[in-house]
């Protein structure tokens, strides 16, 4: 009797096919792989809702037709992670619609705080006689709301400490799914690496990441797998760089120890489908993952790469800084409210730069290097 547990994790999933649904968006080979598991956990990056009530935010608003829950079911999804930067794009209605349609279709959800159904933001699932605890966090963008309000579960080192301490009393294993990092950057920033290791030191048995829309490397830290980004799983969005189309399926094998297998995939590249990477592309991706993993474990290499990435972002970020001219200072001094002096879009964008850890790390770098 095989008592080993196999968990499969996929990255950013946006079933944005509008009114068109195709049963063939996942290849037969991929469906076979996804079927070889006890639980499939994905990141549902968009609400499933018909709501038209967009929130005020910077960046695009994402949503998908509720009936496209069929895409999640065809991929064999059992658990949908909702702690991400788009789940609140259409407000509380969008979140509640998503939770309800998932429930109706037998898909469990986690990563939402102050749920109207009273369920906690975490999830415990019994598999082959073992209890697996799942936690899902995201960085503090617009989906993370004020205390006491319905929204995504934002990452806080203090809250994570209490969450893991509590789950350790109830579960045999704890898996943390983390939505964060710098978009299009295939490595964790130094602070994100510290956070993943911190979660492992608290008691998480594995940490799985996504959000950057590109795949990254991984490390085994104190015998615990830390996978920094899976990239996209199914996300058709025109105009993105080629790296957008390559992702990973992650298999965690839990027995006497926890091991990890990474399976390269190609999504929405030539047509709207996700499939296993062919042998040539697969070997190239696995080689790249090995290189990324070496850089992650080498502090000096990681910092050199991070500095180079920040340099490419310097001008774009500085352009978003508020410029306090003499006239603006006088206006503030005589009591004119800031809302009349700075465009709302700039205020919202700047707020996001300060709230989100990934953006804030770049700002810190720019300010530190301001004299260079």
């Amino acid at each position: 009797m095989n008592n080993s547990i196999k968990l499969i994790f996929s990255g950013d999933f946006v079933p944005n096919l509008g009114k068109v649904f195709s049963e063939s968006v996942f290849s037969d080979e991929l469906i076979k792989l996804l079927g070889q598991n006890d639980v499939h956990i994905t990141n549902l990056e968009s609400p499933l809702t018909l709501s038209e009530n967009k929130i005020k935010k910077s960046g695009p608003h994402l949503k998908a037709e509720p009936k496209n829950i069929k895409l999640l079911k065809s991929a064999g999804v059992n658990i949908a992670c909702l702690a991400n930067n788009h789940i609140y794009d259409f407000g509380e209605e969008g979140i509640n619609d998503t939770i309800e349609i998932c429930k109706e279709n037998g898909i469990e959800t986690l990563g939402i705080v102050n749920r109207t159904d009273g369920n906690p933001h975490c999830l415990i699932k019994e598999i082959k006689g073992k209890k697996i605890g799942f936690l899902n966090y995201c960085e503090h963008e617009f989906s993370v709301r004020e205390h006491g309000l319905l929204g995504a579960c934002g990452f806080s080192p203090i809250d994570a400490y209490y969450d893991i301490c509590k789950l350790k009393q109830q579960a045999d294993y704890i898996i943390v799914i983390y939505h964060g990092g710098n978009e299009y950057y295939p490595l964790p920033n130094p602070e994100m690496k510290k956070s993943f290791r911190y979660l492992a030191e608290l008691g998480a048995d594995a940490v799985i990441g996504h959000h950057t829309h590109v795949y990254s490397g991984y490390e085994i830290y104190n015998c615990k797998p830390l996978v920094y980004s899976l990239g996209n799983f199914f996300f058709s969005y025109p105009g993105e760089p080629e790296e957008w189309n390559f992702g990973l399926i992650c298999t965690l094998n839990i027995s006497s120890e926890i091991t990890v297998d990474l399976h390269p995939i190609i999504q929405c590249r030539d047509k709207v489908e996700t499939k296993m990477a062919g042998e040539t592309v697969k070997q190239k991706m696995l080689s790249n993952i090995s290189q990324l993993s070496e850089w992650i474990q080498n502090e000096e290499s990681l910092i050199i790469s991070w500095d180079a990435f920040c340099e490419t972002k310097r001008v774009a970020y500085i352009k978003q800084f508020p410029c306090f001219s003499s006239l603006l200072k006088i206006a503030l001094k005589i009591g004119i409210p800031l809302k009349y002096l700075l465009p709302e879009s700039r205020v919202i964008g700047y707020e996001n730069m300060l709230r989100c850890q990934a953006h804030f790390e770049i700002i810190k770098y720019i300010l530190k290097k301001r004299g260079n």
Side-chain angles (χ1 to χ4, degrees):
M1 182 177 178
N2 184 9
N3 289 321
S4 65
I5 297 169
K6 183 172 288 190
L7 308 177
I8 279 187
F9 297 83
S10 53
D12 297 343
F13 193 164
V14 179
N16 56 336
L17 294 182
K19 300 180 183 301
V20 179
F21 173 74
S22 170
E23 295 286 353
S24 60
V25 296
F26 303 113
S27 70
D28 292 341
E29 187 181 8
L30 176 60
I31 290 294
K32 182 179 179 181
L33 171 66
L34 296 175
Q36 298 170 356
N37 72 84
D38 294 297
V39 177
H40 176 189
I41 305 100
T42 197
N43 172 55
L44 181 53
E45 182 79 359
S46 66
L48 302 176
T49 183
L50 297 176
S51 173
E52 298 293 336
N53 299 317
K54 297 180 179 180
I55 66 165
K56 290 183 179 180
K57 57 170 283 189
S58 59
H61 292 76
L62 300 181
K63 71 172 182 177
E65 293 262 348
K67 67 180 180 181
N68 280 348
I69 189 72
K70 295 178 182 178
L71 284 176
L72 278 77
K73 294 193 70 174
S74 68
V77 171
N78 307 106
I79 299 174
C81 295
L82 304 184
N84 56 61
N85 56 307
H86 286 288
I87 197 63
Y88 186 63
D89 280 4
F90 288 82
E92 294 189 0
E93 181 181 3
I95 292 178
N96 286 325
D97 287 348
T98 304
I99 291 173
E100 185 60 30
I101 193 69
C102 285
K103 182 179 178 181
E104 290 174 0
N105 285 271
I107 297 173
E108 297 180 275
T109 52
L110 77 156
I112 297 296
V113 296
N114 304 305
R115 292 172 56 135
T116 55
D117 60 10
N119 288 335
H121 63 85
C122 60
L123 180 66
I124 297 177
K125 197 167 185 67
E126 185 166 341
I127 305 169
K128 296 180 178 177
K130 297 292 184 180
K131 292 182 178 180
I132 314 295
F134 296 95
L135 289 165
N136 178 207
Y137 302 119
C138 65
E139 291 182 348
H140 287 240
E141 297 197 57
F142 297 97
S143 60
V144 178
R145 305 179 69 208
E146 297 167 5
H147 181 72
L149 297 179
L150 175 74
C153 186
F155 175 68
S156 158
I158 297 173
D159 291 342
Y161 169 81
Y162 288 113
D163 285 343
I164 291 176
C165 284
K166 183 177 180 180
L167 269 187
K168 283 170 71 174
Q169 299 175 20
Q170 307 172 57
D172 299 294
Y173 299 95
I174 297 173
I175 311 298
V176 176
I177 305 103
Y178 184 99
H179 192 78
N182 297 86
E183 291 187 343
Y184 312 111
Y185 181 55
L187 291 165
N189 61 59
E191 288 301 315
M192 182 174 170
K193 177 181 171 180
K194 289 180 184 178
S195 294
F196 273 46
R197 288 187 167 192
Y198 168 76
L199 289 165
E201 289 170 356
L202 289 181
D205 295 287
V207 184
I208 310 295
H210 35 59
H211 169 64
T212 62
H213 304 304
V214 293
Y215 65 84
S216 183
Y218 73 101
E219 62 176 331
I220 305 298
Y221 180 70
N222 293 342
C223 300
K224 299 176 178 184
L226 310 179
V227 182
Y228 285 94
S229 181
L230 300 179
N232 295 322
F233 175 55
F234 182 85
F235 197 161
S236 178
Y237 203 79
E240 297 297 333
E242 187 178 16
E243 293 82 1
W244 177 276
N245 304 116
F246 300 91
L248 300 171
I249 300 294
C250 172
T251 302
L252 283 186
N253 306 289
I254 303 175
S255 54
S256 57
E257 60 180 358
I258 300 179
T259 61
V260 61
D261 295 311
L262 298 176
H263 310 275
I265 59 171
I266 300 174
Q267 69 91 31
C268 301
R269 188 185 188 194
D270 302 316
K271 60 179 182 177
V272 182
E273 70 167 0
T274 301
K275 61 183 180 180
M276 304 298 297
E279 191 61 29
T280 301
V281 174
K282 173 184 174 180
Q283 292 306 319
K284 183 178 179 180
M285 290 175 66
L286 291 175
S287 176
N288 192 29
I289 290 166
S290 295
Q291 181 66 72
L292 293 169
S293 299
E294 288 181 17
W295 288 342
I296 288 169
Q297 295 174 67
N298 185 307
E299 293 294 334
E300 184 178 356
S301 296
L302 189 64
I303 291 173
I304 290 173
S305 179
W306 171 246
D307 287 355
F309 174 74
C310 288
E311 282 298 324
T312 68
K313 300 295 183 180
R314 182 195 289 267
V315 173
Y317 274 71
I318 290 176
K319 284 182 177 178
Q320 296 184 60
F321 288 2
C323 298
F324 290 96
S325 65
S326 297
L327 288 176
L328 184 57
K329 290 177 182 177
I330 292 171
L332 289 170
K333 191 172 183 179
I334 64 176
I336 298 177
L338 189 61
K339 66 180 180 180
Y340 297 121
L341 303 174
L342 287 176
E344 185 179 34
S345 59
R346 280 205 61 193
V347 173
I348 289 174
Y350 192 60
E351 177 192 359
N352 194 47
M353 289 170 63
L354 296 176
R355 281 165 50 103
C356 175
Q357 187 69 33
H359 291 309
F360 188 61
E361 291 304 317
I362 296 180
I363 293 173
K364 285 199 301 183
Y365 171 88
I366 292 171
L367 295 177
K368 181 180 179 181
K369 300 288 187 177
R370 65 190 183 280
N372 297 340

